């Protein structure tokens, strides 16, 4: 594989990641997981816009009405199967099929007849998907039926609007999540001087929580000790809060893993910042205007440094194999514990069907 370019060049469609399972006849060892998955930032979907997003081997269509209502739907028109995302457009509060011009309301029901027709076809609706908004982004539920758990607001009050960057990888959401509890690799790849769990990982239904302390240089802030609280919401979303009391700042990172095909994933990293308004903290003397100006300056620097810090992981993720069972050494993180927790998000029948479909597509 060629040498990795700076993170800003690792955009979807601009890389050709290798995969240890492509061309080998082997099935991908992990299937599609159920849960909340980020589709795109709200800023990328202005009113009257229509976007197509890859998800779990297929397309979903995201659109926003004139008044700003967001809807997520399976892509095919129930009339004669046209792809709504390729040429479909918004008129008022409806989306219009590009093939015959039928319109669909925000509840997915066909609501307007096209020119040349006498009556609406009966029982024709789009397949809307459950979605929610958090951290200035749109998330979709990938499971069947109603969501079985909610996704909360991921950012603390007072945070800046997140900055998002996307990397395309030949990997899997579970592999990326396991990396977060593998503290030993942070010394090798990220030059951390100290790394340990303050609170051991605990699985709580669809949530996986832990707290760590890490010490290293954080340019441009110098050598700092960070207290990081982490929560996983299924295998699609990781939220990390990092407090730096000496600066009076809280850094937030939201790592989103959207699987687009077997062993291919879009990693969408969002970063945000906020001041800790502790009345005894170092930010207590700053006026609101001073805090806002400081965040405008520091936020892009923070995002750039966070993405650069991600770079050493990319060639490892793109080229590694999933080892099951893991051959752990004394001192490794709780990878086995996390894998046991992750089992709840898979359906074995779905995994086998997914691999069969993918094999057929490659023939």
């Amino acid at each position: 594989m060629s040498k990795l370019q700076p993170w800003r060049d690792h955009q979807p469609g601009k890389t050709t990641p290798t995969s240890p399972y492509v061309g080998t006849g082997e099935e991908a060892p992990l299937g599609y997981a159920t849960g909340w998955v980020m589709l795109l930032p709200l800023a990328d979907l202005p009113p009257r816009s229509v976007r197509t997003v890859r998800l779990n081997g297929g397309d979903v269509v995201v659109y926003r009405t004139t008044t700003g209502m967001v809807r997520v739907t399976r892509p095919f028109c129930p009339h004669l199967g046209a792809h709504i995302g390729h040429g479909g457009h918004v008129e008022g509060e409806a989306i219009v099929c590009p093939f015959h011009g039928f319109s669909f309301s925000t509840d997915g029901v066909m609501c307007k007849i096209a020119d040349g027709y006498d009556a609406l076809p009966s029982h024709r609706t789009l397949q809307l998907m459950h979605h929610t908004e958090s951290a200035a982004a749109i998330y979709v539920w990938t499971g069947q039926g109603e969501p079985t758990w909610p996704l909360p607001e991921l950012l603390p009050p007072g945070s800046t609007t997140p900055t998002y960057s996307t990397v395309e990888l030949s990997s899997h959401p579970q592999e990326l999540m396991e990396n977060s509890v593998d503290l030993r690799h942070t010394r090798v790849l990220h030059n951390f001087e100290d790394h340990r769990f303050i609170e051991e990982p605990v699985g709580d239904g669809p949530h996986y929580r832990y707290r760590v302390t890490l010490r290293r240089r954080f340019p441009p802030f110098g050598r700092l000790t960070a207290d990081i609280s982490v929560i996983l919401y299924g295998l699609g979303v990781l939220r990390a809060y990092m407090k730096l009391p000496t600066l009076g700042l809280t850094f937030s990172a939201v790592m989103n893993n959207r699987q687009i095909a077997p062993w291919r994933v879009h990693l969408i990293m969002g970063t945000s910042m906020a001041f800790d308004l502790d009345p005894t903290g170092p930010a207590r003397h700053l006026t609101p205007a001073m805090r806002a100006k400081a965040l405008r300056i520091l936020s892009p620097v923070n995002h750039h440094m966070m993405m650069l810090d991600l770079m050493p992981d990319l060639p490892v993720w793109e080229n590694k194999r999933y080892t099951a069972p893991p051959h752990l050494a004394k001192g490794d993180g709780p990878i086995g514990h996390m894998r046991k927790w992750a089992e709840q998000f898979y359906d074995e029948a779905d995994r086998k069907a997914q691999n069969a479909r993918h094999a057929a597509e490659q023939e």
Side-chain angles (χ1 to χ4, degrees):
M1 195 175 97
S2 61
K3 184 178 179 181
L4 289 171
Q5 300 298 310
W7 66 263
R8 61 182 177 275
D9 292 334
H10 276 260
Q11 300 298 323
K14 293 187 179 181
T15 60
T16 308
T18 59
S19 169
Y21 304 103
V22 171
T24 65
E26 295 181 73
E27 292 185 351
L30 296 170
Y32 297 134
T34 294
W36 291 103
V37 174
M38 179 180 165
L39 295 178
L40 72 169
L42 276 166
D44 290 354
L45 192 73
R48 297 177 59 86
S49 61
V50 181
R51 292 281 304 275
T52 298
V53 181
R54 292 294 290 175
L55 174 68
N56 292 355
D59 287 346
V60 296
V61 173
V62 194
Y63 69 94
R64 201 168 189 174
T65 70
T66 301
T67 62
M69 294 182 66
V70 174
R71 289 294 181 267
V72 182
T73 180
R74 299 292 181 184
F76 302 112
C77 177
H79 174 219
L80 283 175
H83 195 300
I84 297 291
H86 291 279
H89 66 279
V90 171
E91 287 185 359
E93 299 303 287
I95 189 167
V96 182
C97 174
F99 196 18
H100 295 91
F102 287 107
S103 299
F104 298 86
S105 63
T106 53
D107 61 1
V109 176
M110 191 178 289
C111 63
K112 184 179 178 182
I113 196 168
D115 289 341
Y117 288 88
D118 296 327
L120 287 170
S122 60
H123 308 295
R124 300 297 184 183
T125 61
L126 295 175
Q127 297 180 49
L128 295 183
M129 302 176 70
H130 296 283
H131 75 281
T132 191
E133 296 175 17
S134 184
I138 301 165
Y139 289 80
V140 69
W141 176 256
T142 63
Q144 299 294 322
E146 297 284 334
T148 56
W149 45 275
L151 184 69
E153 174 53 51
L154 298 168
L155 298 178
S159 296
T160 57
T161 300
T163 300
Y164 286 105
S165 292
T166 302
V167 178
E168 184 171 321
L169 294 163
S170 280
S171 188
H172 188 277
Q174 185 173 316
E175 285 273 66
L176 306 187
M177 290 303 197
E178 288 181 8
N179 193 72
S180 72
V181 297
D182 179 12
L183 297 189
R184 297 302 175 189
H185 92 280
T186 62
R187 184 182 294 272
V188 178
L189 290 185
H190 305 290
N191 299 314
F192 281 95
E193 301 167 2
D194 182 37
H195 47 271
R196 53 190 171 83
F197 285 101
I198 301 174
E199 297 176 4
E200 293 291 327
V202 175
D204 176 18
H207 306 141
Y208 194 81
R209 310 169 187 267
Y210 58 92
R211 188 172 155 213
V212 297
T213 182
L214 301 171
R215 181 174 174 79
R216 58 163 282 190
R217 289 185 60 82
F218 285 93
F221 307 110
R223 182 174 281 101
L224 299 171
T225 298
D227 181 335
I228 306 177
S229 297
V230 180
I231 302 180
L232 277 63
Y233 299 92
L235 296 177
V237 185
L238 179 152
R239 183 203 71 185
Y241 291 163
M242 181 172 68
K243 294 183 178 180
L244 295 177
T246 57
L247 298 177
L249 288 170
T250 297
F251 298 82
S252 299
V254 181
M255 186 176 85
N256 301 279
N257 308 311
R258 185 178 75 245
Q259 197 168 357
I260 60 175
W263 224 255
R264 182 65 67 89
V265 66
H266 281 176
L267 187 161
I268 310 169
M269 181 66 75
T271 64
S272 182
M273 298 175 64
F275 273 104
D276 184 352
L277 299 182
D278 185 335
T280 63
R284 65 187 183 278
H285 300 302
L286 298 178
T287 66
M290 294 168 65
R291 290 196 297 267
K293 183 176 181 180
L295 290 177
R296 282 197 302 270
I297 296 171
L298 293 175
S299 289
V301 175
N302 172 56
H303 184 76
H304 186 77
M305 298 309 299
M306 287 280 289
M307 294 305 297
L308 288 180
D309 202 43
L310 189 67
M311 287 296 295
D313 290 302
L314 300 186
V316 176
W317 284 333
E318 288 185 348
N319 295 284
K320 77 183 297 294
R321 290 178 63 88
Y322 179 77
T323 303
H327 304 299
L328 301 177
K330 186 176 181 180
D332 278 326
I335 293 174
H337 183 267
M338 175 176 277
R339 289 190 179 186
K340 188 65 177 176
W341 166 79
E343 289 176 359
Q344 65 184 295
F345 304 110
Y346 296 104
D347 182 283
E348 182 62 17
D350 286 347
R351 187 186 72 83
K352 290 181 177 179
Q354 157 205 328
N355 279 304
R357 287 195 303 270
H358 182 65
E361 290 170 359
Q362 304 305 309
E363 292 178 353

